[in-house]
Structure formats: C-alpha cells, structure tokens
C-alpha cells in the first residue's frame, strides 16, 4: 500500500520550485493582516485596561502615526523572523504553500531569519526582484542566500535537501518521490 502524500496532486509538479512574485505578495498580505489584527487587539486591550482603571474619564487613545509605524514594523519583523527560524513558514506562507529555506534547503538560522525579516521590512521593494530572472530571488534572498519555495508538506523534510548544488534534486515528499528539479540557489 502506497503512503498518502500531504501534497495535493495538482501541486506536485511545483513542489520544491521557486515561488513567484504573486504568490509571495499574497502570502505577505495574509501576514500583514495577521499583524494588523494583533496590533488592533493590543490597542483594544490597552484601552480596555485604561477603562477598567479609570472608567469615569475614559476616552480612546489616539495612536500616533510614528509609533504605529514603528510598532507595526517591529511586530512584522519579529513575527516573520520567529516563524522562518522555527518552521520556515509564516501563516501566510502556510496558506500559500511556501517555505523559506537556507542555502542547503534546510531551515534558516535564527540570525539569518532576523536579518532577512529586517531587510524585508526596511526594503520591501526588494521583493519585486523575484519577478525578474530565472531564480526568482528577492533582494533578501540574494543577500542572505535564502530561497522561497513551494512546499505543501506539513513539516520540512527531516534531512536537509541539497538544493544549492547544480542539478540538485531537492528533497522527497511523504511518498518518497523526489521534488524540486532546480536547485534553490542555482542562478
């Protein structure tokens, strides 16, 4: 009896391939919504606490623009860095079937994940670099030797895939079938 693959039949040809601009932008939009919801909950929680402490003179605080931008940037960078270092994917990446991998196809190290997140927040236009070129790598990917691949598997493959060797064949899915015909970092 053959093992059941967690990868949808329609997605199997793309498993291990580099993700394109549209998929990555959609994943980032989902992540921005997650961070926006977290910021909104924090704002409402802070105001609820102020109401409990002093209900007679309560009024909603007016968020300052600079503080809001800094808080959103720090939250987004922390959220993405932690997710990339722990599982290789944020919630947006999970929804879109993406995973951020290091130079050898494994998880990115925490320091690399943090640097990548900071670079993505400070230079968001760098994402559009993945629209040009065969390797579909953003500025952050080029600078830190990372890649964003299609990966619908629930967990990264136990053994690191050899993706940066020319002709590297990636990893195998649950059925043992190899995926990822191009290396993650070959140009």
């Amino acid at each position: 009896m053959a093992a059941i693959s967690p990868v949808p039949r329609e997605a199997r040809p793309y498993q291990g391939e580099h993700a394109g601009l549209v998929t990555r932008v959609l994943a980032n939009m989902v992540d921005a919504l997650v961070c926006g919801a977290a910021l909104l909950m924090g704002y409402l929680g802070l105001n609820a606490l102020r109401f409990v402490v002093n209900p007679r003179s309560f009024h909603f605080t007016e968020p300052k623009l600079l503080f809001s931008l800094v808080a959103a940037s720090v939250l987004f960078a922390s959220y993405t860095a932690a997710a990339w270092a722990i599982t290789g994917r944020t919630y947006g990446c999970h929804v879109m079937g993406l995973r951020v991998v290091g130079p050898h196809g494994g998880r990115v190290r925490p320091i690399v994940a943090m640097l990548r997140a900071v670079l993505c927040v400070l230079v968001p236009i760098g994402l559009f670099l993945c629209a040009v070129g065969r390797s579909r790598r953003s500025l952050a990917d080029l600078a830190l030797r990372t890649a964003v691949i299609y990966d619908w598997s629930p967990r990264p493959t136990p053994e690191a895939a050899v993706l940066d060797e020319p002709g590297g064949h990636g990893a195998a899915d649950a059925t043992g079938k190899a995926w990822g015909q191009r290396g993650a970092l070959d140009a």
Side-chain angles (χ1 to χ4, degrees), residues 10-11 20 28 49 52 83-85 87-89 93 95 120-121 123 128 142 146 160-161 165:
E10 298 80 16
N28 283 331
L49 180 64
V52 169
W84 291 334
T87 63
R89 57 174 28 148
C93 288
V95 168
C120 289
V121 167
V123 190
F128 291 100
L142 291 169
T146 58
E165 292 179 3

Side-chain angles (χ1 to χ4, degrees), residues 43-65:
Y43 172 74
L44 293 175
L46 177 66
N47 279 292
L49 180 64
R50 289 184 63 238
F51 176 76
V52 169
V53 171
N54 193 358
R56 290 183 186 252
S57 65
F58 173 76
H59 64 280
F60 279 96
T61 58
E62 189 173 319
K64 304 288 186 251
L65 179 63

Side-chain angles (χ1 to χ4, degrees), residues 7-19 97 136 149-152 179-181:
V7 180
R9 183 179 318 257
E10 298 80 16
R12 289 180 189 156
Y14 302 102
Q15 184 78 353
E17 294 292 324
H18 292 264
R136 296 182 183 166
I149 61 170
Y150 290 107
D151 182 6
W152 286 269
W179 51 264
Q181 299 305 311

Side-chain angles (χ1 to χ4, degrees), residues 16-21 24 129-138 142 147-150 163-168 181-187:
E17 294 292 324
H18 292 264
L21 177 64
R24 292 171 73 165
L129 256 156
C130 70
V132 293
R134 189 177 71 107
S135 67
R136 296 182 183 166
R137 294 170 68 197
S138 68
L142 291 169
V148 179
I149 61 170
Y150 290 107
L163 295 174
D164 66 344
E165 292 179 3
Q181 299 305 311
R182 287 185 296 170
L185 299 179
D186 55 15

